[in-house]
């Protein structure tokens, strides 16, 4: 499919308001990065816990978790302008280089992974740690595909951005 055909198909997709996209994102994140990790951790053993309570080291996981959640919030603020509508599509409409995107090309993935690492540390869960590693591998794969899409879509602007901003940190 050539670029003109892709652009025409993209224009036909319905648009959602910023509020709808943010609400969907938050709900999705609550499930994938909240409910799922907690349920995985509840079913296995907990390293570092004493008397049913997390140790100081485990509690440091809450700090990492908080940083991850804060990063996701920062991404949402940077990602969508007030009043903006967003096409229902995985193809990006614009290249973002502000907010957390000026520090790393993948702040959402980093924040999501920090959230998961925070849960794994807090619960001291080997099962959750294995899931976190699997998610990291999946995210790394996704980044490669996304970067190819961004290069195809934004060309020289993407190349300049990628040269100036590190993939991770």
């Amino acid at each position: 499919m050539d670029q003109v055909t892709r652009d025409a198909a993209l224009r036909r997709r319905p648009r959602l308001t910023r509020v709808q996209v943010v609400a969907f994102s938050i709900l999705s994140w609550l499930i994938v990065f909240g409910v799922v990790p907690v349920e995985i951790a509840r079913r296995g053993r907990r390293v570092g816990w004493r008397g049913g309570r997390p140790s100081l080291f485990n509690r440091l996981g809450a700090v990492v978790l908080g940083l991850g959640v804060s990063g996701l919030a920062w991404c949402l603020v940077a990602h969508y302008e007030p009043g903006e509508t967003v096409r229902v599509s995985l193809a990006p409409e614009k290249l973002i280089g502000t907010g957390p995107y000026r520090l790393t090309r993948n702040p959402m993935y980093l924040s999501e992974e920090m959230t998961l690492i925070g849960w794994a540390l807090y619960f001291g869960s080997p099962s959750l740690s294995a899931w976190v590693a699997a998610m990291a591998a999946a995210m790394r794969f996704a980044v490669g595909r996304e970067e190819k899409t961004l290069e195809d879509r934004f060309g020289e602007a993407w190349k300049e951005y990628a040269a100036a901003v590190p993939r991770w940190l």
Side-chain angles (χ1 to χ4, degrees), residues 53-134:
R53 300 181 58 94
S55 69
L56 177 60
F57 177 78
N58 294 108
R59 289 180 189 169
L60 290 176
V63 173
V64 177
L65 174 65
L67 290 172
V69 170
S70 297
L72 288 172
W74 191 18
C75 289
L76 279 179
V77 169
H79 219 273
Y80 305 109
E81 298 293 327
E84 177 182 13
T85 59
V86 180
R87 290 194 198 284
V88 177
S89 173
L90 294 176
E93 292 184 41
K94 62 184 178 182
L95 190 58
I96 303 170
T98 61
Y101 294 89
R102 71 179 185 275
L103 306 173
T104 171
R105 298 192 309 252
N106 298 289
M108 282 184 152
Y109 287 127
L110 283 172
S111 297
E112 290 166 350
E113 195 64 22
M114 282 182 71
T115 301
L116 293 175
I117 290 168
W119 282 123
L121 289 172
Y122 180 78
F123 285 112
S125 170
S127 299
L128 183 53
S129 296
W131 189 68
V132 170

